[in-house]
Amino acid sequence: MTEIFAVQSFVALAVNSVLGIYVIRKNPGAPANRSFALLMATFVIWDLSEGVLRLSPNAADMAFIRLWVNIEWIGIAAISGALLHFILSYPKKRDVLDKWYAYPLIYGPPLVIILFIWTTNIVISGVTMGWMGYDARIVPAGYAIPAVVYSVQIFVALAILLRTYTRSAGMVRNRSKILLMGVAVPVVVGSATEVFLPFFLDMQTRLGAGTIYTVIMGMFTAYAIMKYKLLVIEPTVEEVRPEEPAYRLELDYNYLLKGESAVPAFKAFRNMVTRTPGLCITTTYPEKIQKRFGMEKTPIIWLSKVSWDERALKPSDLDFEVTQTIIRFVKENPETSVLIDDLEYLKAVIGFQGTSKFLKHISDVVAAEHSTLIVPLDPRAFDERELAVFEKNFDFVRTMSTPKVEDVGGTFNSYLRLGERSECYEEFAKVDVPKLHIGTTHPRRIERRHPLGTCEHIWLTETKSERRGLDPSQLNYEVLRKLTKFLEGRPGSAVFLEGVEYLISHNGFSDVLSFLQSAIDLVSISNSRLYVPIDPTALNEEQLATLEKRFDSVA
């Protein structure tokens, strides 16, 4: 009859598995997301082994049962260390985790407990049949020490979280409150029923309700992660005031700054963040923004599909995570400033209607909180109707002059060359670094026309018989995966992409733009270079303006 209790274990297994996978996929690079996934892994080990034990018949082989009991206690023993690790990573990674002794102190005690369980009978003497199914038979004297060590780690984690809650304010306090609610109750109740109850009632094993507590803890923690993205944005101002920009903006207004370059808008924003905290939303690699405009402290949210950085959000999450991040920042820090860069890209990938709705929502919130919104926009990328709709959301609409290239500064990683391709090939051939050529022309003919030296090739073709070829329709999947792998193994390399005109006719402008943006992000991360020649007559004015926006150098 114990099989019915296995349902509890397998439901917990399903819930905790989904939560762990979902959270780590949302932001694999964030320390809190990774440590949460590790915590969920300990829950899953517990859930799975407990389910197997409860499904085992009374006449089951004892060696088999003891094996699964030992596996179960790997998950149980590891929870205290994994929980402490997560709390030290939440809502942002604490400096102590960078110390050499941190992880031995966190995971050393659980590993010692696991070692004793697997190699001795000091903690667990065998197997017993509990009222929910098979479980470990504990040795009271030997079990007491691991129970105390386990509880100490659990309550240290709880104390750290409580301290974070009591000593913080605003967004951090709200995050900590949700997690405190989800951790405190399962920890306190679970410690009573699963750790100390056997001593008080002279039981041979624990109660067996632990997996219920893991589900409660996991769901509350995942909710905190999804609601707040585990993204801490501290309001701060820049200390060094730059030279007075050509356009000085006043606080508590919304500005639409029209021009072929966003540089004047960034310079105006940089001047403003010496007077008030700011938040920058952009598709440009954050390190470039920091170097070009001297924004050392201002938080930058990077809209990118390829980065695992904890401050990178996917453009597809515009309606939820991006919007909520901006709204929380403005509401918790009134009288601040926000710059939203690259409406051209947003329009191309999510459509004008979605971009317009997003912009209207943000501009209303900013106005209500006495803050300032700055939005640069290239009018060539929009038609008159679209421009008119955008302009309605702003207090002031100004036309900005386009700066010279040398005024931009910073590192160049991406080069768009308009017109004749031979000069671009010559530029690429001179680069003495590992090279990758991606194109729609057969590699043999490329080498015949433009000797590139040592160079890898990816040929985009629908010819199925060609083993080296990749289908052009797989641009954002297989081709992007190959490009990612090449750059990860060869930082500081160079990539050449030709045939953009054909790719647009084959895949559509939006898909090609998405691939180009991802490629530019990848070369920026790896400090590499991307060369893209294109015939401007193959694109309309809106498409060309949107493409030009991506690149550091256009000639």
Side-chain angles (χ1 to χ4, degrees), residues 192 196-203:
F196 296 109
L197 191 63
F199 293 111
F200 299 143
L201 300 183
D202 194 25
M203 297 169 57

Side-chain angles (χ1 to χ4, degrees), residues 279 325-338 362 365-371:
L279 174 65
T325 297
I326 299 172
I327 290 175
R328 285 197 307 273
F329 177 80
V330 173
K331 286 190 173 182
E332 296 181 7
N333 307 287
E335 301 182 11
T336 53
S337 55
V338 177
I362 298 302
V365 173
V366 168
E369 300 298 331
H370 302 283
S371 294

Side-chain angles (χ1 to χ4, degrees), residues 457-489:
H457 289 268
I458 296 177
W459 183 27
L460 304 180
T461 177
E462 295 181 87
T463 305
K464 305 299 182 184
S465 61
E466 176 56 55
R467 289 181 296 176
R468 291 185 298 174
L470 291 179
D471 192 328
S473 63
Q474 295 297 308
L475 200 61
N476 281 294
Y477 302 99
E478 189 64 19
V479 180
L480 186 61
R481 186 184 69 82
K482 294 269 190 182
L483 174 60
T484 303
K485 185 176 180 180
F486 176 85
L487 292 173
E488 284 178 349

Side-chain angles (χ1 to χ4, degrees), residues 299-312:
I300 300 173
I301 304 300
W302 187 23
L303 301 183
S304 174
K305 294 170 58 178
V306 300
S307 175
W308 287 3
D309 186 272
E310 63 181 42
R311 289 199 172 178

Side-chain angles (χ1 to χ4, degrees), residues 332-352:
E332 296 181 7
N333 307 287
E335 301 182 11
T336 53
S337 55
V338 177
L339 185 145
I340 300 176
D341 178 37
D342 211 354
L343 291 188
E344 299 85 355
Y345 180 74
L346 296 180
K347 174 198 168 184
V349 298
I350 68 169
F352 171 75

Side-chain angles (χ1 to χ4, degrees), residues 144-420:
I145 296 177
V148 170
V149 173
Y150 182 88
S151 299
V152 166
Q153 278 200 309
I154 291 284
F155 281 96
V156 165
L158 195 59
I160 293 172
L161 182 58
L162 182 61
R163 184 174 182 271
T164 301
Y165 171 71
T166 56
R167 296 195 176 189
S168 59
M171 189 190 314
V172 175
R173 185 180 180 88
N174 290 337
R175 293 170 173 169
S176 302
K177 178 181 179 181
I178 293 174
L179 188 59
L180 191 60
M181 292 167 56
V183 172
V185 173
V187 163
V188 173
V189 178
S191 296
T193 64
E194 305 304 309
V195 178
F196 296 109
L197 191 63
F199 293 111
F200 299 143
L201 300 183
D202 194 25
M203 297 169 57
Q204 289 186 326
T205 189
R206 59 193 179 84
L207 181 63
T211 51
I212 297 175
Y213 309 137
T214 68
V215 171
I216 295 172
M217 189 187 302
M219 292 183 69
F220 267 86
T221 307
Y223 176 73
I225 292 173
M226 293 304 100
K227 181 175 175 62
Y228 292 104
K229 190 61 173 63
L230 289 176
L231 187 59
V232 178
I233 303 178
E234 300 292 347
T236 184
V237 295
E238 300 288 350
E239 296 178 357
V240 179
R241 183 179 293 275
E243 296 181 5
E244 194 70 18
Y247 301 89
R248 193 175 191 275
L249 308 181
E250 299 300 324
L251 299 175
D252 198 11
Y253 291 104
N254 292 347
Y255 295 90
L256 180 66
L257 305 181
K258 298 194 296 185
E260 294 185 8
S261 171
V263 171
F266 272 99
K267 288 186 174 181
F269 176 73
R270 174 62 181 85
N271 179 273
M272 184 169 287
V273 294
T274 59
R275 295 175 280 156
T276 178
L279 174 65
C280 175
I281 315 293
T282 182
T283 57
T284 302
Y285 186 45
E287 287 189 11
K288 289 184 178 180
I289 300 296
Q290 292 167 343
K291 292 177 180 178
R292 289 177 180 177
F293 305 105
M295 292 199 295
E296 298 177 356
K297 296 184 176 181
T298 302
I300 300 173
I301 304 300
W302 187 23
L303 301 183
S304 174
K305 294 170 58 178
V306 300
S307 175
W308 287 3
D309 186 272
E310 63 181 42
R311 289 199 172 178
L313 301 178
K314 293 180 173 58
S316 58
D317 293 331
L318 193 69
D319 285 341
F320 180 63
E321 291 179 345
V322 179
T323 299
Q324 292 305 314
T325 297
I326 299 172
I327 290 175
R328 285 197 307 273
F329 177 80
V330 173
K331 286 190 173 182
E332 296 181 7
N333 307 287
E335 301 182 11
T336 53
S337 55
V338 177
L339 185 145
I340 300 176
D341 178 37
D342 211 354
L343 291 188
E344 299 85 355
Y345 180 74
L346 296 180
K347 174 198 168 184
V349 298
I350 68 169
F352 171 75
Q353 186 174 1
T355 305
S356 176
K357 180 181 177 181
F358 161 74
L359 192 60
K360 173 62 175 172
H361 192 176
I362 298 302
S363 63
D364 287 348
V365 173
V366 168
E369 300 298 331
H370 302 283
S371 294
T372 305
L373 177 64
I374 302 171
V375 178
L377 175 150
D378 188 340
R380 298 177 300 161
F382 303 89
D383 61 35
E384 292 184 2
R385 181 190 64 85
E386 292 168 343
L387 287 173
V389 172
F390 281 149
E391 290 175 3
K392 293 291 185 181
N393 299 316
F394 295 88
D395 300 304
F396 296 100
V397 179
R398 295 182 178 175
T399 300
M400 318 289 275
S401 61
T402 303
K404 297 179 180 179
V405 173
E406 56 265 24
D407 292 337
V408 178
T411 303
F412 283 14
N413 298 102
S414 53
Y415 302 82
L416 179 66
R417 296 295 178 251
L418 305 177
E420 178 58 43

Side-chain angles (χ1 to χ4, degrees), residues 46-98:
W46 184 357
D47 300 333
L48 174 62
S49 51
E50 185 179 77
V52 172
L53 290 171
R54 291 178 178 178
L55 283 178
S56 300
N58 291 339
D61 178 66
M62 285 299 103
F64 173 81
I65 297 300
R66 180 58 191 263
L67 173 64
W68 278 100
V69 164
N70 287 354
I71 294 173
E72 177 185 38
W73 279 77
I74 290 176
I76 295 173
I79 286 174
S80 61
L83 178 63
L84 180 57
H85 183 190
F86 172 70
I87 297 302
L88 289 172
S89 303
Y90 181 92
K92 63 180 179 179
K93 183 180 176 182
R94 289 170 172 80
D95 292 339
V96 69
L97 288 177
D98 293 323

